Amino acid sequence: MSKQKSYSLLLSIALFTMLGIAVFLQLRSSWTMQRIEEQRLAKRLSDDVHFLIETTKQDLLFQAFITNTHRTNFADALISFNGFEYAMFQWQCQQNTPSLFDSLFVYSQKQNKIYKWTGVSLKETTIPSSGILGTLTSFIQNNPVFQTQKIASLKTGQILIVEPLYLAELDSHIYILSFINKEHFFYNLLVFNTEKCVQESKDFFFRIRDTESDTVLYESEPDCPPYFFDNPDFAIALMQLDKSISIMSNKKMKENQNTDAEVQADKFYEIVEKPFQQENLVLEVIHRQGSLLKASARNMMLTIASSLIVLIVLGITMVLLVLNMRKAERLATSQQEFISTITHELKTPIAIISAAAQNMSDGVITSPERICYYGNLINKENERLKSTIEYFLLYSKITTGTNLKHEKHDLCSLVKDEINHWELPWKTNNFQIETNIPNKEILIYCDKTAILSAIDNLISNAYKHSKKGKFTSISLSLENCPLKIMRHSFTPSNTKQAAILRIKDHGEGIPKSEQNTIFEPFVRGKAAHNNQIEGSGVGLNLVKRIMNLHNGLVILENSSCAGTTFALVFPVVHEKQET
């Protein structure tokens, strides 16, 4: 048995060590998952914003559209005029905001011709001698600065984009002159593209802000509190133009120019309001939880919480497993002791009967007095053996759930019968007996044999465990329900009163460490072992099972060095129930 205990201890240590390692690994995994979640959300948002920027560039810049649209029928877009015109048509068709361009022109520097986009094709038109278009074409003719893409803010409230291209068929540079409506660009194009490209990220709030005027151009959630964006997770400029696209200044360049060029430059710079500030348009993003860090921390806490619940359940399971193992060990020990006790209880009367019968059959006993004595001894031990066998048959009957025969009996009469049965042993051993049994009937439904066995068991325990105190008190009383005794409550559904039978002794008492296990099967206290008190270890368990089958209770009401009190609680039969 000591080996089994050591194995149980080692297994317990191993299980709890594994549980501790599991907790550590789970916490570490949760921390790693938080970092991965942060990176995942940031990467997803970064991809969405990059897609937004590229989509906006394709809407504004013809070259960006051609570069990012991989179609074979655009192969001659920069070779033939017809191919270029078809590509222009496709570029305009993919526009989601048709009113974005106030006007769109294509200027051929070599031919000094200008074509206006009609919506479906390019139509040659006269170059005006004055105005923005005339000034711009003259400036392009006389200024080499337009060899790269240019962007500028005009005083007319428009955004001007100049894109130089080389068309092989014409052997000439052509320039796409895009006059963009700033209001439509801010409030239509950017809003539409943001909703299309970024709005799918439902975990975030978005807004587009013009930092120069501190104006909010767009909000994904109008009800979102402004303070949410005090520290946004991301603040990204929406107009991230390539290095090849330069910003046109509103100041005259200091290069040496001829007189005509200077005149045209002066006229051009008069129509440029200011350099286009691409960094002014900012997309601000904040997670709905208040920040990306808070969101990932919350997800981590949820993961940790769910993991801890699993670990707690696992820990409880391990604890229950260890407790059950120890309980099984105790049960195995108790069963061995029970078998030893039963063997002793059966062998003792059998040995006495065998010895007495052998002496009589061998003629050792011849006198009538001795023969009568041995006959009484055999009869007494036979009754003891019969009683022991019936006792264990009753225990087997109760534990296997065999139906008992419930009939109406007077509890007072049953208790008095048991008192009469024990009168001789009490008198022989000089016990002081106190009884308080009512003279009226207290009717209960019960199996008579089972209830007598339960009462007899408690009286027997009081007798065996109080031979030094030599005192037994038996009292029976009626009390109203609901009834509370110690930590137990008794509220039967079909009666208003309960009968309480109390059996008290002046023995050594039951230690507190043993009080929680006295009703378990095969359990005997240390005092019973040390004092070699007769018993099987199933008596109180049998009493508990009998009382449960009668909808009653058995309670250890009090136990101290001054003695022990057990109480049996029975539901009482009333006259209305009888009828």
Side-chain angles (χ1 to χ4, degrees):
M1 191 57 63
S2 60
K3 286 185 177 180
Q4 290 182 355
K5 289 183 178 179
S6 62
Y7 291 151
S8 175
L9 179 61
L10 290 174
L11 181 59
S12 302
I13 294 173
L15 288 175
F16 284 107
T17 301
M18 292 172 61
L19 181 61
I21 294 173
V23 171
F24 171 76
L25 292 177
Q26 184 59 46
L27 292 175
R28 183 177 178 182
S29 174
S30 298
W31 183 84
T32 304
M33 288 299 295
Q34 180 190 7
R35 296 293 177 266
I36 293 174
E37 179 67 9
E38 288 180 16
Q39 294 173 5
R40 184 189 68 82
L41 291 174
K43 177 66 168 58
R44 187 183 70 180
L45 185 60
S46 176
D47 291 343
D48 289 345
V49 172
H50 177 73
F51 180 50
L52 167 62
I53 293 171
E54 290 302 315
T55 301
T56 304
K57 285 169 64 176
Q58 290 183 46
D59 287 336
L60 296 177
L61 302 172
F62 176 75
Q63 291 187 47
F65 170 73
I66 292 296
T67 303
N68 290 281
T69 306
H70 303 288
R71 298 184 183 179
T72 55
N73 51 5
F74 287 169
D76 62 344
L78 301 180
I79 299 175
S80 67
F81 190 81
N82 289 335
F84 171 74
E85 189 176 36
Y86 175 75
M88 285 280 292
F89 175 75
Q90 292 294 326
W91 177 43
Q92 291 298 297
C93 286
Q94 63 94 35
Q95 296 287 340
N96 294 299
T97 51
S99 56
L100 175 65
F101 293 92
D102 284 343
S103 55
L104 191 63
F105 296 91
V106 175
Y107 174 65
S108 173
Q109 186 180 30
K110 185 176 182 180
Q111 297 176 341
N112 195 25
K113 292 181 179 180
I114 192 164
Y115 302 87
K116 183 178 182 180
W117 180 254
T118 63
V120 292
S121 63
L122 291 170
K123 183 178 180 181
E124 185 178 350
T125 186
T126 305
I127 299 176
S129 58
S130 60
I132 295 176
L133 195 58
T135 302
L136 183 57
T137 53
S138 299
F139 190 45
I140 292 173
Q141 279 284 3
N142 296 285
N143 202 313
V145 74
F146 284 103
Q147 299 304 312
T148 59
Q149 292 171 304
K150 301 292 180 180
I151 186 169
S153 291
L154 304 181
K155 292 181 179 179
T156 57
Q158 297 170 310
I159 299 173
L160 170 64
I161 297 179
V162 181
E163 292 187 76
L165 301 170
Y166 181 79
L167 198 60
E169 185 182 58
L170 301 179
D171 188 24
S172 170
H173 282 93
I174 61 173
Y175 298 86
I176 301 175
L177 311 177
S178 304
F179 293 88
I180 298 170
N181 187 305
K182 188 182 292 186
E183 293 294 320
H184 286 292
F185 172 64
F186 284 168
Y187 296 103
N188 291 342
L189 178 66
L190 288 180
V191 170
F192 179 84
N193 286 348
T194 301
E195 291 179 345
K196 181 178 71 172
C197 301
V198 188
Q199 188 66 6
E200 293 181 1
S201 302
K202 300 296 184 182
D203 297 327
F204 297 91
F205 290 128
F206 307 92
R207 75 174 183 181
I208 300 174
R209 188 166 66 93
D210 184 354
T211 57
E212 183 180 19
S213 61
D214 196 21
T215 304
V216 177
L217 306 178
Y218 165 75
E219 288 181 296
S220 60
E221 297 285 344
D223 297 332
C224 177
Y227 65 84
F228 252 54
F229 291 94
D230 289 345
N231 294 295
D233 292 323
F234 298 94
I236 307 169
L238 284 176
M239 290 297 294
Q240 297 183 16
L241 301 177
D242 298 334
K243 292 182 179 180
S244 60
I245 305 175
S246 57
I247 309 299
M248 285 193 281
S249 174
N250 61 341
K251 296 181 180 180
K252 188 175 180 179
M253 293 180 293
K254 297 180 180 180
E255 300 177 1
N256 293 325
Q257 299 172 327
N258 57 44
T259 305
D260 291 337
E262 288 182 358
V263 172
Q264 297 301 328
D266 289 338
K267 290 182 179 180
F268 175 74
Y269 288 122
E270 286 178 1
I271 66 173
V272 177
E273 180 185 21
K274 58 185 177 180
F276 181 77
Q277 302 294 329
Q278 60 175 339
E279 65 275 6
N280 288 346
L281 295 177
V282 177
L283 175 67
E284 296 177 339
V285 184
I286 188 72
H287 198 278
R288 290 177 179 269
Q289 299 294 332
S291 71
L292 187 58
L293 183 62
K294 288 182 180 179
S296 59
R298 181 176 179 273
N299 291 337
M300 184 188 73
M301 292 305 297
L302 290 175
T303 303
I304 291 176
S306 59
S307 301
L308 286 179
I309 290 173
V310 174
L311 291 174
I312 288 171
V313 172
L314 180 61
I316 293 173
T317 304
M318 288 183 176
V319 171
L320 293 176
L321 177 62
V322 172
L323 292 177
N324 285 333
M325 288 172 56
R326 293 183 177 179
K327 185 177 180 180
E329 290 174 0
R330 290 196 303 268
L331 184 61
T333 304
S334 301
Q335 285 177 334
Q336 290 180 358
E337 294 174 354
F338 172 72
I339 292 172
S340 300
T341 302
I342 294 302
T343 303
H344 175 75
E345 291 288 327
L346 295 177
K347 285 177 67 177
T348 300
I350 290 173
I352 294 173
I353 292 172
S354 177
Q358 185 69 36
N359 289 337
M360 293 176 67
S361 64
D362 290 344
V364 176
I365 307 301
T366 56
S367 65
E369 293 83 4
R370 297 293 293 172
I371 291 174
C372 181
Y373 171 78
Y374 272 86
N376 290 333
L377 180 62
I378 290 172
N379 186 54
K380 178 183 176 182
E381 293 301 322
N382 179 62
E383 288 296 324
R384 177 183 174 186
L385 183 61
K386 179 182 176 182
S387 176
T388 301
I389 292 173
E390 287 180 350
Y391 179 80
F392 287 109
L393 286 175
L394 176 63
Y395 183 79
S396 175
K397 181 180 179 181
I398 296 295
T399 54
T400 55
T402 305
N403 292 330
L404 300 178
K405 187 178 181 181
H406 286 74
E407 295 177 337
K408 186 170 60 177
H409 293 280
D410 177 19
L411 182 59
C412 296
S413 298
L414 297 179
V415 175
K416 288 177 181 178
D417 289 344
E418 277 299 313
I419 291 174
N420 293 333
H421 173 75
W422 281 92
E423 188 173 348
L424 180 60
W426 286 332
K427 187 175 181 180
T428 303
N429 288 278
N430 298 319
F431 264 69
Q432 180 184 351
I433 305 301
E434 290 184 1
T435 60
N436 183 14
I437 310 300
N439 292 323
K440 61 180 181 179
E441 284 188 338
I442 298 178
L443 299 177
I444 62 171
Y445 278 112
C446 67
D447 182 291
K448 181 178 179 180
T449 303
I451 292 299
L452 286 175
S453 177
I455 298 172
D456 182 77
N457 198 293
L458 293 183
I459 295 176
S460 175
N461 284 347
Y463 174 77
K464 290 185 292 185
H465 290 277
S466 62
K467 287 189 175 180
K468 292 183 179 180
K470 294 189 176 183
F471 172 85
T472 301
S473 171
I474 301 173
S475 63
L476 180 62
S477 61
L478 281 174
E479 295 189 21
N480 294 326
C481 296
L483 181 66
K484 284 192 176 181
I485 304 177
M486 304 295 288
R487 294 172 296 175
H488 303 272
S489 60
F490 185 70
T491 312
S493 58
N494 56 352
T495 182
K496 295 181 179 180
Q497 284 188 312
I500 303 178
L501 176 64
R502 289 182 171 88
I503 299 173
K504 181 179 180 181
D505 64 54
H506 283 179
E508 297 178 358
I510 302 172
K512 286 187 177 181
S513 59
E514 298 178 2
Q515 290 180 9
N516 292 329
T517 59
I518 58 174
F519 292 107
E520 294 182 8
F522 316 120
V523 173
R524 301 191 70 205
K526 290 183 179 179
H529 287 288
N530 296 336
N531 299 329
Q532 296 184 346
I533 298 173
E534 293 181 0
S536 60
V538 297
L540 288 177
N541 181 257
L542 176 63
V543 174
K544 181 180 179 181
R545 290 174 182 269
I546 290 172
M547 295 307 295
N548 287 342
L549 291 173
H550 288 80
N551 298 320
L553 293 174
V554 56
I555 301 169
L556 175 60
E557 193 170 10
N558 181 40
S559 185
S560 64
C561 58
T564 301
T565 302
F566 279 92
L568 297 178
V569 184
F570 302 87
V572 175
V573 178
H574 291 283
E575 294 180 0
K576 290 183 179 180
Q577 290 177 265
E578 295 180 56
T579 58

